[in-house]
Amino acid sequence: MNDHVRTEVRDGRPGRAIHPGEGRRKGLMTPKGRVLEASEVARLSAIIGDRTPQRPLLIEYLHLIQD
């Protein structure tokens, strides 16, 4: 999501790369969300099956989990 690096522009020329955690607003020390236990990961992979995780299909995976 936010793991891109933008470049600073000075005088119309690209400057040094700016990491998202630099600047006045520092990045988060820990990732958002909660940590899944191994049993929960195994249960989810059994529900989703052989499908490879793809961002456009997240809603479809959610529907599979809810069913």
Side-chain angles (χ1 to χ4, degrees):
M1 301 271 183
N2 288 334
D3 46 284
H4 65 280
V5 176
R6 70 183 168 92
T7 55
E8 183 179 13
V9 178
R10 289 185 182 162
D11 302 325
R13 300 175 314 195
R16 67 181 183 92
I18 300 174
H19 189 272
E22 289 184 14
R24 286 185 288 169
R25 295 181 64 207
K26 298 294 181 187
L28 297 175
M29 295 300 290
T30 57
K32 289 184 176 182
R34 65 185 183 100
V35 178
L36 295 177
E37 295 184 14
S39 62
E40 295 170 326
V41 172
R43 190 170 161 204
L44 286 174
S45 60
I47 292 171
I48 293 175
D50 295 343
R51 298 174 183 91
T52 57
Q54 297 176 8
R55 185 180 177 104
L57 298 177
L58 289 177
I59 297 296
E60 301 302 325
Y61 297 151
L62 178 63
H63 290 306
L64 285 173
I65 293 167
Q66 287 179 337
D67 291 343

